Amino acid sequence: DEIFVDTDARADYVETMRYLKLLGIPITINISSYSDYYLGSSVIKKISDFTFVTSAITIVRFRQIVLKRLMDISIALVGIFLTGIVALIIAPIVKKESPGPLLFKQIRVGKYGKKFYIYKFRSMYMDAEKRKKELLSQNDLDTHLMFKMENDPRIFPFGQKLRDWSLDELPQFINVLKGDMSVVGTRPPTLDEYKKYEIHHFKRLATKPGITGLWQVSGRNNITDFEEVVSLDLKYIQNWSIGQDIKIIAKTFAVVLKREGSR
């Protein structure tokens, strides 16, 4: 009729709670001896004489956050070194095909709506932002919330090669080191895209944006429905773990080597 979980049965309950919830059996948990008790997407905290319940899309322990940040910093340091080498090689070619700065920066929206400048190697002509308005009608995606276009005329020839190999993304390791982004996360929207969001889209911003993510390794160029992008982002957030991040990073290398980069 009912499951009672005593203080010494916590481990057994964690292993079986998914099945107990599926069965719909009422569950009572003794939390008197715990300061923090993690329960799926909620955590019960006892502070002094008060007991609180916190709910979120997913609950992450502090040590997991620290481990993810340490992994980000380690990878970012290697990535920035690689970025410097690539910059020395490509700078003369970029400037020859399209005079102007090597780095491109743009305002993006990060975790909980925080604005930051994202850095990339420039792959488009200098007037690309102005010309975007003229090309919106040719958007390959079934939405006004993201823009992708086959054979985008704003991209200069060598810039397309940078995109094919995802080399234009390398300067984002600077954003990772600064803490605005993570190596793995969700795609950071532009300010214009963010302003057009419907209320359920804001869940995407419950975590730091990433250089790569579940959407990027799930056939991104074949996905034309923005709601599917949102669904993949929420799946990543709800099931987040360090192990999942490592798998996505490994899959990213495979995607890049197959030249399934961004358009």
Side-chain angles (χ1 to χ4, degrees):
D1 298 319
E2 183 174 355
I3 300 294
F4 179 81
V5 184
D6 208 350
T7 53
D8 60 352
R10 179 181 181 182
D12 294 331
Y13 172 65
V14 169
E15 290 180 5
T16 59
M17 66 179 179
R18 185 169 71 91
Y19 304 101
L20 296 175
K21 285 184 177 181
L22 287 172
L23 291 169
I25 301 173
I27 301 168
T28 301
I29 303 171
N30 181 1
I31 61 169
S32 58
S33 64
Y34 294 111
S35 56
D36 291 352
Y37 188 90
Y38 291 86
L39 183 64
S41 59
S42 300
V43 58
I44 300 171
K45 297 182 178 180
K46 189 171 181 64
I47 303 174
S48 186
D49 295 329
F50 300 97
T51 301
F52 304 89
V53 177
T54 301
S55 297
I57 298 176
T58 187
I59 297 292
V60 181
R61 291 171 171 80
F62 178 72
R63 66 175 180 272
Q64 292 175 299
I65 297 173
V66 172
L67 186 58
K68 182 175 174 69
R69 182 60 184 149
L70 289 174
M71 186 172 74
D72 280 345
I73 292 172
S74 300
I75 296 175
L77 290 173
V78 176
I80 289 173
F81 176 74
L82 180 61
T83 301
I85 295 173
V86 172
L88 291 173
I89 297 171
I90 70 172
I93 308 173
V94 171
K95 290 182 180 294
K96 182 180 179 180
E97 289 197 2
S98 176
L102 176 63
L103 283 180
F104 166 78
K105 70 176 184 177
Q106 183 186 50
I107 294 177
R108 293 292 182 100
V109 180
K111 187 175 181 180
Y112 299 140
K114 178 187 175 183
K115 299 176 189 174
F116 68 96
Y117 277 108
I118 195 171
Y119 300 102
K120 292 187 175 187
F121 284 134
R122 186 168 59 87
S123 59
M124 292 184 174
Y125 294 106
M126 292 299 293
D127 61 348
E129 289 297 304
K130 295 179 181 178
R131 294 171 64 187
K132 181 179 177 180
K133 294 179 180 179
E134 304 169 6
L135 301 169
L136 288 176
S137 61
Q138 301 179 52
N139 191 0
D140 290 340
L141 303 182
D142 303 328
T143 179
H144 59 281
L145 297 173
M146 284 176 65
F147 181 79
K148 291 286 179 182
M149 179 182 173
E150 190 75 38
N151 300 317
D152 193 330
R154 300 174 301 160
I155 304 173
F156 53 83
F158 185 69
Q160 187 59 59
K161 294 184 182 299
L162 293 177
R163 287 179 166 235
D164 287 344
W165 292 100
S166 296
L167 294 176
D168 61 315
E169 310 279 355
L170 286 176
Q172 290 176 46
F173 284 114
I174 299 171
N175 293 116
V176 174
L177 193 61
K178 289 172 64 178
D180 293 325
M181 294 178 64
S182 180
V183 174
V184 183
T186 57
R187 175 188 173 275
T190 65
L191 199 55
D192 288 340
E193 292 168 353
Y194 172 77
K195 290 178 179 178
K196 297 173 184 175
Y197 270 14
E198 296 177 24
I199 194 163
H200 67 283
H201 295 148
F202 290 102
K203 284 185 178 181
R204 299 182 68 244
L205 307 177
T207 190
K208 283 184 182 180
I211 297 176
T212 186
L214 193 56
W215 170 62
Q216 287 90 331
V217 299
S218 301
R220 57 181 169 175
N221 283 349
N222 297 320
I223 297 174
T224 60
D225 185 355
F226 181 67
E227 294 301 330
E228 190 174 348
V229 175
V230 174
S231 177
L232 286 169
D233 285 340
L234 292 182
K235 181 180 178 181
Y236 168 75
I237 295 171
Q238 290 169 339
N239 299 292
W240 178 82
S241 69
I242 292 294
Q244 182 182 215
D245 276 7
I246 293 171
K247 288 180 181 178
I248 290 174
I249 291 171
K251 286 183 179 180
T252 300
F253 280 110
V255 168
V256 171
L257 290 174
K258 292 178 183 177
R259 300 183 64 182
E260 296 175 356
S262 59
R263 296 174 187 169

